[in-house]
Amino acid sequence: MKRKRENVWLAVAGIVKHDDRWLVVKKKYGGLTGKWSFPAGFVDEGETVDEAVKREILEETGIEAEITGVLGIRSGVIKEQISDNMIIFQLEAKGGELKAQESEIGEVAFRSQTELLNDPDSSLMIHFFLGKSNDLSGFSTHDLNPGTQFGYTNYKIFNLR
């Protein structure tokens, strides 16, 4: 069934930790092709955001995870017409077997913070949430530029820590 998203999108991303390593994927499509990013996807009809993030993580990586918090909200406007919104959850890996979803994911791995921050193939979100901004506490707003490949005319991350 083709999903109808119209011009307001709601997505989720999961920052999953296990033994001081972070769960990351390399997608086979879109603006993040070949880049390490957090497992993410759209919320489906009839599904809550917490159900969606756990489903996306399991589908993309084979890992079962439990939510431990909400870290932030990413909100952007694509080509001045599509409102693209994402809730970023913090989770802890609880089980499953690491396995990439063949149709969408090229690689899946648990990698250390140092590995990810030093890898030129790590996404903006990885740098934002695992980098220096990780030391921020309390609410803050950050106007960022994820690159021209996405077509964003406005892009913000609201840090909820």
Side-chain angles (χ1 to χ4, degrees), residues 14 17 58 64 68 83 122-123 138 142 155:
K17 188 175 184 180
L58 183 60
E64 297 169 2
T68 59
S83 177
S122 290
S123 70
H142 305 268
Y155 186 93

Side-chain angles (χ1 to χ4, degrees), residues 41 84 99 131 135 140 143 159:
D84 181 19
K99 184 179 190 292
D135 297 332
S140 57
D143 288 304
N159 185 22

Side-chain angles (χ1 to χ4, degrees), residues 6-107:
E6 307 265 334
N7 285 338
V8 178
W9 298 351
L10 179 59
V12 291
I15 300 179
V16 181
K17 188 175 184 180
H18 181 67
D19 294 335
D20 289 324
R21 297 177 86 71
W22 304 93
L23 182 61
V24 289
V25 299
K26 281 191 176 181
K27 296 203 186 250
K28 292 182 176 180
Y29 65 93
L32 290 173
T33 301
K35 296 268 190 195
W36 290 114
S37 63
F38 298 119
F42 290 106
V43 178
D44 289 339
E45 290 180 23
E47 178 176 61
T48 61
V49 292
D50 58 313
E51 292 168 338
V53 73
K54 291 189 283 186
R55 174 187 51 77
E56 284 291 344
I57 291 165
L58 183 60
E59 285 177 0
E60 291 186 359
T61 71
I63 298 299
E64 297 169 2
E66 181 178 300
I67 296 171
T68 59
V70 176
L71 297 176
I73 298 169
R74 192 230 46 220
S75 188
V77 177
I78 300 172
K79 299 177 183 172
E80 299 181 8
Q81 63 181 342
I82 297 171
S83 177
D84 181 19
N85 304 286
M86 176 181 278
I87 300 169
I88 298 99
F89 287 89
Q90 182 173 2
L91 300 96
E92 182 72 31
K94 292 298 181 186
E97 184 176 325
L98 197 62
K99 184 179 190 292
Q101 180 186 33
E102 291 181 19
S103 62
E104 295 183 11
I105 306 298
E107 286 183 67

